[in-house]
């Protein structure tokens, strides 16, 4: 699903993104509710980036926020690994700096991928067709994976994250997300 977000572009630098686990749901400009084999996932686009809420039938709840959060002193980490009840949470992030033409092409490619995906949510911000946040989620075995992309056209930077939440039992790798 692709939407145009009706808000100003507030997280205008890749370096302003922060990460938080366990925050309460924040006001969302767009959201997509998905059920993946009994696990409920809500993808949320914020004025300042994204939040993913995951809830399974056993009562495990996970909330991941990657956003420009005023007052936050927790910068975006390269990686995090934590245990949540009987589940393991793993997060990884990287920042890509691209040339002007490469940035525009990559932005169009990612928006097309997520816009047509049944488990994808993307929002573009006013002012630039390449200013967007996009999320894509899937379930593979006992794990839920999601990827996010945060585009900063004025810097030609793309912040890419990958999160895996799942049972402590090692599952085979999933293709595609």
């Amino acid at each position: 699903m692709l939407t145009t977000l009706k808000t100003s572009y507030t997280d205008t630098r890749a370096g302003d993104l922060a990460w938080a686990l366990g925050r309460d749901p924040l006001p969302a400009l767009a959201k997509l509710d998905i059920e993946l084999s009994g696990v409920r996932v809500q993808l949320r686009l914020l004025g300042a980036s994204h939040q993913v809420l995951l809830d399974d039938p056993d009562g495990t709840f996970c909330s991941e926020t990657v956003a420009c959060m005023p007052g936050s002193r927790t910068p975006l980490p390269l990686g995090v690994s934590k245990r949540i009840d009987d589940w393991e949470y793993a997060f990884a992030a990287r920042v890509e700096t691209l040339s002007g033409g490469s940035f525009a092409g990559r932005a169009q490619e990612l928006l097309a991928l997520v816009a047509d995906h049944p488990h994808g949510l993307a929002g573009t911000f006013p002012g630039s067709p390449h200013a967007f946040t996009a999320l894509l989620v899937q379930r593979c075995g006992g794990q839920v994976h999601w990827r996010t992309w945060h585009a900063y056209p004025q810097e030609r930077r793309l912040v890419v994250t990958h999160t895996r939440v799942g049972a402590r039992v090692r599952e085979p790798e999933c293709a595609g997300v």
Side-chain angles (χ1 to χ4, degrees):
M1 180 171 91
L2 178 62
T3 187
T4 299
L5 302 173
K6 295 179 183 4
T7 187
S8 61
Y9 190 45
T10 59
D11 61 333
T12 57
R13 289 185 43 238
D16 291 340
L17 283 178
W19 169 87
L21 191 62
R23 287 186 72 130
D24 288 335
L26 297 170
L29 299 172
K31 54 188 168 183
L32 179 64
D33 292 307
I34 302 165
E35 183 162 330
L36 300 169
S37 303
V39 175
R40 290 186 310 274
V41 179
Q42 186 177 76
L43 304 178
R44 302 167 61 82
L45 293 176
L46 314 174
S49 278
H50 90 259
Q51 189 172 51
V52 176
L53 308 177
L54 182 141
D55 193 9
D56 84 346
D58 296 328
T60 300
F61 177 77
C62 176
S63 164
E64 173 190 277
T65 306
V66 173
C68 178
M69 296 179 271
S72 176
R73 297 284 183 228
T74 307
L76 191 64
L78 294 177
V80 175
S81 184
K82 291 187 173 266
R83 186 170 178 184
I84 303 169
D85 298 323
D86 289 333
W87 289 49
E88 289 185 1
Y89 169 92
F91 170 88
R94 72 177 189 276
V95 178
E96 300 174 6
T97 302
L98 304 165
S99 68
S102 295
F103 183 88
R106 182 79 171 130
Q108 290 174 342
E109 175 185 273
L110 290 169
L111 285 172
L113 169 75
V114 176
D116 294 332
H117 197 286
H119 300 145
L121 176 63
T124 57
F125 291 89
S128 172
H130 302 129
F132 69 89
T133 299
L135 301 93
L136 188 62
V137 65
Q138 82 172 33
R139 179 158 182 166
C140 181
Q143 299 181 336
V144 177
H145 297 251
W146 61 86
R147 286 198 182 273
T148 72
W149 298 271
H150 306 259
Y152 299 91
Q154 67 283 6
E155 297 180 316
R156 294 185 326 273
R157 297 176 98 186
L158 190 64
V159 177
V160 181
T161 73
H162 178 230
T163 301
R164 177 182 45 82
V165 179
R168 295 191 48 129
V169 176
R170 181 82 174 142
E171 298 286 339
E173 291 297 315
C174 298
V177 173

